Amino acid sequence: MRQRESTIALVFLAPAFVALGVFLFYPIVQTAIYSLFDLEYSTRWREATFVGLANYGDVLASREFWGSMRFTVLFTVAAVSLEFVLGLGMALATFWVVRPLRGILRAIIVLPWAIPGVIQASMWRWLFNSDVGLLGHLAVALGLADQPPLFLADPTLAVGSVILAYVWKGASISAIFLMGGLAMVPQHLLDAAKMDGARAWMRLRRITLPLILPTILVTLLFRTLDALRVFDIVYGLTGGGPGTTTDTLSSFAYKFYFTFVQFGRGSAYAIITFLLVTGLSLLYIRRITPHLRFR
Amino acid sequence: MAQVAVQQISKRFGSVTAVDELTWTFDDGGLTVLVGPSGCGKTTLLRMIAGLEEPSGGQVWFGDLDVTAVPPWERNAAMVFQSYALYPHMTVFANMAFPLQARKLKKDAIRRQVERTAQALGIDHLLRRKPRELSGGQMQRVALGRAMVRQPDVYLMDEPLSNLDAQLRVEMRGEIKRLQRALGVTTIYVTHDQAEAMTMADTLVVLRDGRIEQAGDPELIYRQPATAFVAGFIGSPMINFIDVRLDETGAAWMLGDLRGALPARLPAAAAGTAGQPLVLGIRPEDVVVSLEAILDSLPARAVVREPLGKEALLLLAADALPAGSLLRAITPPDLRPAPDETVWLHFPPARIHLFDPTTNRALQSTIGSPR
Amino acid sequence: MRRSLHTLASLVVTAVVALFCLLPLYWVLVTSLKRPGTEFRLPLRAWPAPVSWESYLTVLGPDFRIQHAILNSLLVSAAVTAGALFLAGLAAYAIARLRFRYKVQSLTLIQMAGMAPAIVVIAPTFVLIRSLGLLSSLPGLILPNIAYSIPLSTWLLAAYFANLPFDLEDAAKTDGWPPFQVFLRVILPLAAPGLFSAGVLVFLGSWGEFMLALTISMGLPEAQTVPVAILGFSQAFQLQWAWVSAGIVLSLLPVIVLVLLFQKTVIQGLTAGAVRY
């Protein structure tokens, strides 16, 4: 019986693994192979020179790599913490406002999540426009600036702009995750805390947050993984500019591929990104797997 | 300590009225039990007293203070929940310390107070455990401890024993009652279990459809139910209801050929006009069952006999009753009619209750009248 | 008193959140309704006067044909949803309901594949699709996207299947039905709500997929999906923001409708499995 069941399982799993194999596992291995060859303007690695880890050496020695690495890490830390705070605030709000508003609020919060990253990038590019951008004029109207700032041209502001545009969507996703966690906090525990004399702040700090700690961890890990892989917002908003100020690991690797057409180095770049993300994703998967109970 | 009162309090959820302009003053220092079937509004009433539910109208008073608009954390009422509502991420000690921390007590004062309360409840050896490592009875005690660790004005208990097994439940009834006596703090206790309500209450309040059906001393309510509903709800096995009518003299009830005197406590004129239909209620333990014909008795057949140990429950069918309806009677264990053997039932006049079938109210009972 | 204060504060909070979440969308809407050529005129107004629908006609017209990209996106997302749900459904059934060795490892491998950054697969995928002759074609987009959607949908469906009762399935097995029939006739109908919620998420996910779409479409309109088309617009017409905005508004309509209709499903789906404790 057991033998038979594993055969059936194998048959059921096979199609999915074939698809994953062709479009994910195989390309990852292939990229790793590319990264060991001197490839320019071509991916015909069988005819190219094997260079061992030289591409990795080149990448790790380049200023651009460390620049994009630094930006990616800074971006990840800033974006994930900001979107967590905003997301938590919004998620709590959906449970706090009077009942008739809750559905409306949830719908509003979910909207940014659904908008494709590149389209968001276009929207924000218009909002950040230095001549007639809404945000620039708002900054002037609020007395924050004398004239509309050059959001995307000034290196410091560009970093902030990319983070803001990314956080807009990220806060929405974080809020969705946290709403799910908050919905599972039993109401009777909050009632008990009220009866025990705990005011809102104490209930949040001592009851709600500890109880949704698993959700918080999953949210932070998931969002960190996403931020480390970020591509579309950067590509569409600044293209990595000004210069390479806002290039992330992914967007710079993409330039290596399709702008510089250096497949060997680009692949080394991609593999480094992959390893970084995979380490964290193992943590993430370990975290969520035990919650599924199987036969 | 305070006298808790509600005044014309109401709660509507949409078109449903859970509590309907209810007014009651709870005994200061006593144990009042709110009892009724599910949906009668008892839990909603308790939660409004707690402040967890905002009344749609009316007021809640703690002593001279109108606390209707006071949030629960400022009311100084302690509550024990059906689910115990222990904080799963905290140890027993932290659970019990929580209300004291909310009151910003000093650390060592908190420790002393928690330890003293834990000792009184016999849970001092559990202080370092998490709730999931406790048995049901232990969780129950911790929940009580968390309520008792401070000096609340009032204890509110929402079906605190319904998650325990039968034996432990009986044990904890006595324990809670003993603690309540010792502390002398006003306690409002909600249950749907009429036996629990009877055994625990100083004052019993029977609720139905968001209103008080009858309230007062539990034994008095048992003996003198003001309505057919109360008679049916309080007491187990359930009281028998039999459709009868008043005879032409107006001084006796009739069921087929059987004719019975009205209770002496009922003035003759109270029953109404001749021939009027009435509902006769008689508790199973008040039915006299005889194997031989006796005066003023109804012939019946024993259908089922359920031995209960010190007594037995007989289920009886009678020609004078509608087909399919069975009477319940508690009999001594040595009375053993054969299946379908004819027995005679006598309803002692002093023990019967008569209800008006249109209003469902007891006829002119003078004590424990409905409010 | 306490109540009306709470109502007032709730309205303020909702307004602030709405401002944050909806302002960019609102501004795009406003821009799309400006007369083309007036986008750079100051001062800025909260509502364009006069309202002009010209840009919408332009982007729907023969030079732009945004509807073509929207149709492409709909076709790709629908095909990806169907394919991914089928493959992931089978895999999730095995993981959630069958006993076999290396189950946790299989699930971990699938999930890790889902976490891989697109950048690490894009170059070989491009080469592969080119050798299959599928560049600038919808199948060239659909096939890889099915694979990309498998990890998330396997996860969601496994979580859903695991909670279905075993009785019906056991009864069907006892009646002698082969495993695939049990899956098809018992599990799938029972799991309809779970399939639906996973389907909505897969659909939205492939709707927004960008790197592959950018690379495979090769800048040609045949296989341009909405994200690529919009990016192309906004790069080609740096000054005609009314056109670009109209394109954005039209291309967002399907997802906004989808999200508003299935807001609850989306929230439950996204948090399923990941947040239980």
Side-chain angles (χ1 to χ4, degrees), chain C residues 214-234:
Chain C
L214 177 69
T215 312
I216 298 297
S217 75
M218 302 283 289
L220 299 173
E222 281 75 23
Q224 268 190 356
T225 55
V226 158
V228 179
I230 294 295
L231 184 76
F233 273 20
S234 70

Side-chain angles (χ1 to χ4, degrees), chain A residues 187-200 202-203 206-208 210-211, chain B residues 47 50 52 73-74 77 81 83 85-90 98-99 101-103 146 150:
Chain A
Q187 182 60 41
H188 62 134
L189 291 185
L190 295 174
D191 283 347
K194 283 182 195 171
M195 297 312 296
D196 283 343
R199 286 155 193 281
M202 185 173 175
R203 292 201 298 277
R206 298 283 311 276
I207 309 291
T208 307
L211 284 176
Chain B
R47 289 174 62 85
L52 294 172
W73 48 91
E74 286 170 12
F81 292 80
S83 59
L86 300 181
Y87 309 125
H89 56 295
M90 297 185 194
F98 190 81
Q101 287 163 345
R103 281 161 185 73
R146 191 175 62 187
R150 60 200 159 110

Side-chain angles (χ1 to χ4, degrees), chain C residues 12-80:
Chain C
V12 172
V13 166
T14 307
V16 170
V17 173
L19 193 71
F20 175 75
C21 290
L22 302 183
L23 189 69
L25 290 166
Y26 173 75
W27 195 242
V28 167
L29 180 69
V30 166
T31 309
S32 74
L33 294 171
K34 288 185 177 171
R35 200 154 46 76
T38 66
E39 297 97 324
F40 284 84
R41 232 172 250 174
L42 290 171
L44 301 176
R45 287 169 202 256
W47 190 248
V51 167
S52 158
W53 297 94
E54 209 184 311
S55 302
Y56 287 91
L57 296 177
T58 308
V59 295
L60 288 167
D63 298 335
F64 291 86
R65 311 222 307 140
I66 182 73
Q67 65 273 37
H68 189 73
I70 294 176
L71 185 68
N72 277 345
S73 276
L74 285 173
L75 287 173
V76 169
S77 296
V80 169

Side-chain angles (χ1 to χ4, degrees), chain A residues 2 4-6 8-9 12-13 15-17 19-20 22-28 30-31 34 43 86 90 93 96-98 101 103-119 122-127 129 131-135 137-138 164 167-168 171 173 176-181 184-186 211-212 214-215 218 222 225 229 231-232 235-236 249-251 253-254 257-258 263 267 270-271 273-274 277-278 281-282 284-285 288-289 291-295, chain C residues 6-7 9-11 13-14 17-18 20-25 27-28 31 39-42 44 87-88 90-91 93-101 103-104 106-117 119-130 143-144 147-148 150-151 155 158-159 162 166 170 173 179-180 183 201 204 207-208 210-211 214-215 226-227 230-231 234-235 238 241 244-245 248 251-252 255-256 259-260 263-264 266-267 270-271 273-277:
Chain A
R2 207 178 163 93
R4 228 175 77 78
E5 224 173 86
S6 16
I8 298 167
F12 274 57
L13 283 169
F17 269 98
L20 293 175
V22 172
F23 292 107
L24 283 163
F25 299 135
Y26 154 71
I28 292 171
Q30 185 65 68
T31 301
Y34 288 165
T43 54
L86 288 172
M90 295 199 293
W96 179 81
V97 297
V98 290
L101 286 175
I104 298 169
L105 196 56
R106 274 200 305 268
I108 292 172
I109 289 171
V110 172
L111 265 185
W113 164 77
I115 294 169
V118 152
I119 297 186
S122 297
M123 291 165 55
W124 283 95
R125 221 167 70 231
W126 180 232
L127 284 162
N129 186 291
D131 297 318
V132 291
L134 180 64
L135 293 180
H137 284 270
L138 274 180
L164 174 62
V167 161
W168 183 63
I173 304 174
I176 294 171
F177 271 62
L178 294 168
M179 277 190 258
M184 266 175 276
V185 174
L211 284 176
I212 64 164
T215 310
V218 165
F222 182 80
L225 285 169
R229 292 178 297 182
F231 172 72
D232 42 12
Y235 187 87
L249 291 172
S250 286
S251 75
Y254 197 82
Y257 281 144
F258 296 104
F263 282 98
S267 297
I271 289 290
T273 312
F274 170 69
V277 170
T278 302
S281 71
L282 263 177
Y284 171 75
I285 293 162
I288 57 177
T289 306
H291 298 296
L292 288 186
R293 305 247 173 279
F294 299 130
R295 192 175 220 183
Chain C
H6 185 199
T7 308
S10 299
L11 284 168
V13 166
T14 307
V17 173
F20 175 75
C21 290
L22 302 183
L23 189 69
L25 290 166
W27 195 242
V28 167
T31 309
E39 297 97 324
F40 284 84
R41 232 172 250 174
L42 290 171
L44 301 176
L87 296 186
L90 286 171
Y93 176 70
I95 286 168
R97 314 285 283 193
L98 299 176
R99 269 170 272 211
F100 63 95
R101 286 172 76 191
K103 174 183 287 194
V104 175
S106 311
L107 187 63
T108 306
L109 196 59
I110 295 176
Q111 292 310 306
M112 275 178 61
M115 293 295 161
I119 192 70
V120 79
V121 298
I122 193 66
T125 305
F126 176 78
V127 174
L128 179 68
I129 296 292
R130 188 177 59 191
L143 294 176
Y148 299 168
I150 283 176
W155 175 260
F166 280 94
D170 288 344
K173 277 184 190 161
F180 186 71
F183 170 72
L201 293 176
L204 288 168
W207 185 275
F210 176 61
M211 195 189 283
L214 177 69
T215 312
V226 158
I230 294 295
L231 184 76
S234 70
Q235 284 171 342
Q238 300 272 355
W241 274 99
V244 176
S245 299
I248 291 178
S251 65
L252 284 184
V255 279
I256 290 180
V259 165
L260 291 186
Q263 174 237 115
K264 271 228 169 83
V266 164
I267 295 177
L270 271 182
T271 55
V275 297
R276 300 269 147 85
Y277 53 86

Side-chain angles (χ1 to χ4, degrees), chain B residues 49 53 79 105 121 136 166 171 185 244 270 284 323 333:
Chain B
I49 296 169
E53 212 76 69
M79 188 152 170
L105 260 66
L121 285 164
E171 197 178 298
V185 174
V244 297

Side-chain angles (χ1 to χ4, degrees), chain A residues 231-243:
Chain A
F231 172 72
D232 42 12
I233 282 271
V234 170
Y235 187 87
L237 191 58
T238 62

